[in-house]
Amino acid sequence: MNSRILQVFSVVMVLVLAFAGCAAPAAPTAPGEAPAAAPAAPGQLPRNETLYVAGLQWGPFITFNPLAPNITWPGGGPNMLLYENLFAFNVATGELDPLLAKELTMVDDTTMEITLQDGTAWQDGTPLTVDDVVFSFELAKTHDDLDYSLFWDYVTEMVATGDRTIQIKLNPEQLNIGQVRFWLSQERILPK
């Protein structure tokens, strides 16, 4: 009985594989070139130029505003598809890994310096600047309803000191380097 089932299964598998190999070959593309997208139906957006999102929420999308308390995907959570952070916290090492920023150094006990990566730009090609970074954090100075307004409990000043460098003065009365590092790895940078 088992032998008979094995024979039938084998024949079915051979037929499935044979028919699968009968499909028309795909048009060849040059190395590194994406296959051509099928033309969009009338009134439809081209598939290769459209971001489709579904199935990741319990309800409809509310907002893609990265400053909102409950950011809707793809703007929030670990899916940094719209805006990025300066650093990412590496759970394995406890260190900050570079994203938009190249490095974070301690100048002295109450001063940090951030160096931005070279060549970073927004989606439209406009270069990322130190002014964008300072602007993004200073929004929380005047909008205390933003979750990262607590950053300013631990920081007294954030200033651009060069084309790619930013200096952060820590609050000596509430010195907490860990909290500052946390916010540097959490807050999305926005264009000024």
Side-chain angles (χ1 to χ4, degrees):
M1 177 73 177
N2 285 340
S3 161
R4 179 85 175 134
I5 292 173
L6 184 58
Q7 287 176 343
V8 169
F9 179 74
S10 297
V11 168
V12 169
M13 288 306 295
V14 166
L15 290 173
V16 167
L17 292 173
F19 286 121
C22 293
T29 58
E33 183 180 313
Q44 297 292 315
L45 295 172
R47 180 134 178 100
N48 63 340
E49 296 177 15
T50 307
L51 174 64
Y52 292 89
V53 290
L56 300 168
Q57 304 259 126
W58 287 103
F61 298 118
I62 299 168
T63 180
F64 290 133
N65 180 350
L67 301 177
N70 296 312
I71 307 166
T72 305
W73 185 92
N79 306 303
M80 296 182 289
L81 298 178
L82 300 180
Y83 301 101
E84 289 188 38
N85 308 338
L86 293 171
F87 300 96
F89 179 74
N90 185 325
V91 180
T93 65
E95 297 297 319
L96 295 181
D97 288 342
L99 288 177
L100 294 175
K102 187 187 315 186
E103 64 182 349
L104 174 68
T105 55
M106 291 297 299
V107 176
D108 58 45
D109 290 345
T110 60
T111 308
M112 294 176 152
E113 186 172 85
I114 298 170
T115 305
L116 296 181
Q117 299 275 9
D118 294 325
T120 51
W122 298 101
Q123 296 89 334
D124 65 357
T126 304
L128 171 75
T129 67
V130 290
D131 293 334
D132 294 327
V133 175
V134 172
F135 165 78
S136 298
F137 280 93
E138 285 192 343
L139 280 173
K141 267 186 174 178
T142 55
H143 298 86
D144 61 358
D145 55 334
L146 295 175
D147 66 344
Y148 68 103
S149 65
L150 297 174
F151 174 81
W152 292 102
D153 289 347
Y154 307 102
V155 171
T156 59
E157 184 180 43
M158 182 182 225
V159 293
T161 55
D163 289 344
R164 306 305 287 167
T165 55
I166 301 155
Q167 194 171 79
I168 300 172
K169 292 289 189 180
L170 304 178
N171 181 352
E173 296 175 12
Q174 202 165 349
L175 192 59
N176 191 329
I177 295 168
Q179 268 298 330
V180 175
R181 288 168 46 96
F182 169 77
W183 289 114
L184 294 176
S185 70
Q186 293 297 305
E187 195 45 48
R188 309 291 195 254
I189 302 305
L190 307 172
K192 185 177 180 183

